[in-house]
Amino acid sequence: MSSHREAPSISKDPAADNTDVYAFRTPGDTITIIANYSPGQAPNGGPNFYEFDDEVLYSIHIDNDGDGEGNINFEFRFTTVNTNPNTFLYNTGPIDSLDSPNWNRRQTYSVVRRSGKANIQFPGDSRRRIPTRVVELGTGLSCPPANVGPRSTPNYEALAAAAVYELNFPFDNSTMKVFAGQRADAFFVDLGSIFDLGALRPFQNFHLISTAAAAGVDALANANCQSICIQLPITAVSGNRKVPSEFNDGWSTIGVYASASRQRGLRIRNGVRTTAGPYEQISRLGNPLFNEVITPLAKKDQWNADAPEDDAQYARFVLKPELATLLPVLYPGVFPNLAAFTGDRADLAAILLTGIPEGIVPGFQNFTGTTQADVLRLNMAIPPTPTADENPIGLVAGDPAGFPNGRRLRDDVTAIELKAIAGATLPLVDPSFTPDATAALLEDGTNPPERTFLDEFPYIGTPYDGFSVGT
């Protein structure tokens, strides 16, 4: 879920499949953004372990003026080499460093900062998108190897730490941190239950086809993914280049999304594969679960190809979400108030398309303007909640540093969005509506699963190794 295999076409192209985007405040007036790709990796994936695709343009976009288009874009391109042409093995001995002679298949990457416009052509869009400034921040940066096992990668944490780079911004004398490589998937969800006619195991005794209530089963336990992580000074991304101190500062909120693009042309000559032409977007992700749950199946591929600034065409599916009509049918008698509501879901439109205006939630806003766009909105003036005090239900539970104010690794976005769709957030915009009692309780039963995160960048946890999983 979130965005794992969420559309027919991208499910056939996992290396380009955006799965999750996270954006949150971090120490030292910085923000951290994590973009995950390549869903559901089995750790024991040899002999061809998972990696980024050399032909994909991976991008992280930051919108700081509310138009739904990235003003600051970080682009990543990868290069893969085999150092030993005479072995079928990924490694011929322990990999104890990023330049170990035992490591056969390596990936490096370059990072470009492109301001003004993204280097992407959207299908059917004739608008010229010319960047105002392009700066190469780093090249030849190493990804760590896949976490093969205790013999092959005996000190994986040290290998990953060596792959964290600090890069200079030559135009303002600041720096950013960057990491790209395999990580443990932080997302958690009971996929097997939810897509079996909308069953939620803790509530399946109330389902139209009922069975005994049970705990949720995390479909992504022990799964890995490919992560691109960046940490940036707030001054490098805010529209006025300042750290906002007030939640209602007009420059306090940014919009974040990630994408993957491929070139249109492909040629194979003498066994050599080359690509050419403009990059076309084939996957994107801002808010979790938008394309997964809101967009109709027949429109999911098109949604992946569209720019967020054009998302007004999908607003009707937010205002009248199909799942909100299904819940009263699938759970008879449980959601009578939701079944009787016939108005537009202005609460969901605010959460997903414009941000929440000031005055709706006391002391909070992440409104980016009237442009409807699926981007993850982060109010950078809201200080981070100490880890021990984080509430995984985020803003809905009174923790303003959590989703939908950006997204932290521990946020239970499945439960948050289930509660919202079931009507728990409707009174924010329609005080006459009384949510059904079950709306505030709704979850899939996987919260919180066992996940281990790092206390420092890149924060997302060490990937599961192929030898240990399943033993």
Side-chain angles (χ1 to χ4, degrees):
M1 218 175 182
S2 191
S3 193
H4 297 58
R5 296 175 51 83
E6 87 292 346
S9 291
I10 201 62
S11 68
K12 303 168 188 175
D13 190 2
D17 188 357
N18 287 96
T19 66
D20 288 282
V21 175
Y22 302 87
F24 48 94
R25 274 281 304 264
T26 38
D29 290 334
T30 64
I31 63 165
T32 293
I33 301 171
I34 299 172
N36 289 343
Y37 299 83
S38 190
Q41 296 181 6
N44 49 0
N48 295 298
F49 290 93
Y50 298 92
E51 60 193 17
F52 294 99
D53 190 331
D54 293 0
E55 295 179 356
V56 173
L57 173 66
Y58 300 91
S59 303
I60 293 174
H61 310 270
I62 300 171
D63 170 22
N64 60 18
D65 64 4
D67 64 358
E69 185 175 5
N71 310 99
I72 302 170
N73 308 281
F74 294 92
E75 299 176 353
F76 297 78
R77 291 183 178 85
F78 292 83
T79 301
T80 307
V81 296
N82 294 317
T83 60
N84 184 346
N86 300 313
T87 181
F88 73 94
L89 293 167
Y90 183 79
N91 58 290
T92 56
I95 303 173
D96 56 9
S97 67
L98 296 181
D99 58 0
S100 169
N102 294 326
W103 183 17
N104 178 34
R105 189 164 175 88
R106 308 164 184 262
Q107 279 200 315
T108 59
Y109 63 99
S110 64
V111 185
V112 168
R113 181 191 187 277
R114 190 179 296 269
S115 59
K117 304 293 179 182
N119 185 29
I120 298 169
Q121 177 66 48
F122 297 97
D125 187 348
S126 61
R127 289 170 290 187
R128 297 185 69 200
R129 299 170 182 270
I130 301 174
T132 57
R133 186 167 191 177
V134 180
V135 179
E136 185 175 81
L137 300 175
T139 187
L141 308 177
S142 292
C143 299
N147 195 1
V148 179
R151 298 170 183 82
S152 295
T153 47
N155 190 352
Y156 193 84
E157 288 80 1
L159 287 171
V164 173
Y165 295 93
E166 191 164 298
L167 308 178
N168 292 318
F169 284 144
F171 39 85
D172 63 3
N173 296 318
S174 62
T175 61
M176 68 176 287
K177 290 182 180 179
V178 64
F179 170 90
Q182 189 181 55
R183 295 277 90 189
D185 197 329
F187 187 54
F188 47 96
V189 67
D190 190 345
L191 280 177
S193 179
I194 288 174
F195 284 106
D196 185 17
L197 288 180
L200 302 169
R201 290 184 213 263
F203 303 92
Q204 62 188 9
N205 52 314
F206 298 111
H207 195 277
L208 185 66
I209 307 173
S210 64
T211 53
V217 178
D218 182 9
L220 296 172
N222 301 324
N224 294 327
C225 59
Q226 298 298 113
S227 296
I228 296 175
C229 312
I230 59 176
Q231 188 173 85
L232 303 158
I234 290 175
T235 53
V237 297
S238 63
N240 64 353
R241 298 296 186 260
K242 296 179 181 180
V243 178
S245 58
E246 301 293 336
F247 79 93
N248 55 359
D249 184 326
W251 297 105
S252 63
T253 300
I254 58 171
V256 176
Y257 76 102
S259 67
S261 306
R262 288 190 181 277
Q263 288 175 287
R264 182 182 302 169
L266 171 64
R267 182 175 69 178
I268 300 177
R269 179 173 292 178
N270 298 325
V272 178
R273 176 185 173 113
T274 59
T275 57
Y279 282 95
E280 290 191 345
Q281 181 179 285
I282 57 173
S283 180
R284 63 157 164 141
L285 183 63
N287 284 293
L289 305 173
F290 192 107
N291 200 22
E292 186 93 15
V293 175
I294 298 294
T295 310
L297 183 62
K299 295 182 179 293
K300 289 180 181 293
D301 290 334
Q302 182 60 50
W303 185 95
N304 267 331
D306 285 334
E309 64 194 83
D310 297 323
D311 280 345
Q313 63 185 307
Y314 300 104
R316 58 193 174 103
F317 305 117
V318 177
L319 294 172
K320 303 284 188 185
E322 182 183 15
L323 183 56
T325 63
L326 288 174
L327 284 174
V329 176
L330 294 173
Y331 294 86
V334 176
F335 298 102
N337 295 348
L338 182 64
F341 184 79
T342 59
D344 288 340
R345 294 298 303 272
D347 57 322
L348 300 180
I351 292 170
L352 298 174
L353 290 175
T354 64
I356 300 171
E358 185 179 359
I360 301 296
V361 178
F364 177 83
Q365 66 89 24
N366 64 351
F367 185 64
T368 53
T370 58
T371 298
Q372 296 178 312
D374 175 34
V375 294
L376 191 62
R377 291 169 173 85
L378 175 65
N379 186 324
M380 300 181 293
I382 305 294
T385 302
T387 300
D389 298 327
E390 286 184 3
N391 191 313
I393 306 302
L395 183 65
V396 175
D399 184 353
F403 181 78
N405 186 34
R407 181 185 175 189
R408 301 170 300 197
L409 293 167
R410 295 176 177 85
D411 286 341
D412 187 353
V413 295
T414 302
I416 295 169
E417 295 197 355
L418 281 171
K419 296 174 194 293
I421 288 176
T425 56
L426 243 176
L428 294 174
V429 297
D430 185 354
S432 68
F433 179 80
T434 300
D436 298 293
T438 305
L441 306 174
L442 220 54
E443 59 171 327
D444 70 341
T446 60
N447 174 49
E450 289 298 325
R451 292 287 194 276
T452 301
F453 301 115
L454 308 181
D455 294 328
E456 57 186 8
F457 184 84
Y459 297 104
I460 189 168
T462 299
Y464 302 99
D465 76 81
F467 176 83
S468 301
V469 168
T471 61

